[in-house]
C-alpha cells in the first residue's frame, strides 16, 4: 500500500511520521514481527487501512482522516 503511494500524510501528522522513522522489526522472532513499543499511531494506521482502504466498508469512495490535539 505505501509503496504504491496510495496513502499520503500531512507534515502535521507528527506522531505517524515519527513512528515511521522509529519502527523496527524484531530480528530474533520467526516471521514478520515488529517491536511493540511507541507504535500507537502505526496501529491506528493499520486499522484504518484494514477497514477503509482495503474496501472492508461501503463508505470507501473518499475518506479523509485528521488528528486533533
Amino acid at each position: 500500500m505505501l509503496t504504491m503511494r496510495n496513502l499520503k500524510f500531512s507534515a502535521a501528522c507528527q506522531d505517524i511520521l515519527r513512528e515511521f522513522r522509529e519502527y523496527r522489526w524484531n530480528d530474533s522472532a520467526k516471521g514478520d514481527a515488529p517491536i511493540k513499543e511507541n507504535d500507537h499511531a502505526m496501529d491506528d494506521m493499520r486499522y484504518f487501512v484494514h477497514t477503509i482502504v482495503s474496501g472492508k466498508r461501503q463508505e470507501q469512495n473518499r475518506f479523509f482522516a485528521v488528528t486533533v490535539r
Side-chain angles (χ1 to χ4, degrees):
M1 184 67 59
L2 291 174
T3 58
M4 296 169 52
R5 299 182 185 266
N6 288 341
L7 295 176
K8 300 192 186 312
F9 300 94
S10 166
C13 299
Q14 291 297 307
D15 288 337
I16 192 73
L17 296 175
R18 176 185 44 77
E19 288 183 16
F20 269 118
R21 289 189 303 270
E22 297 175 357
Y23 207 67
R24 302 288 180 264
W25 293 97
N26 185 346
D27 294 331
S28 62
K30 293 182 180 180
D32 288 339
I35 296 174
K36 295 295 293 173
E37 53 183 45
N38 303 318
D39 62 349
H40 297 301
M42 295 298 273
D43 286 342
D44 292 342
M45 184 191 61
R46 184 180 41 153
Y47 299 139
F48 172 79
V49 168
H50 181 72
T51 59
I52 303 298
V53 178
S54 68
K56 302 284 183 196
R57 295 183 57 167
Q58 295 297 325
E59 310 89 41
Q60 68 184 8
N61 294 340
R62 290 194 172 259
F63 195 93
F64 184 78
V66 296
T67 300
V68 179
R69 289 191 181 259

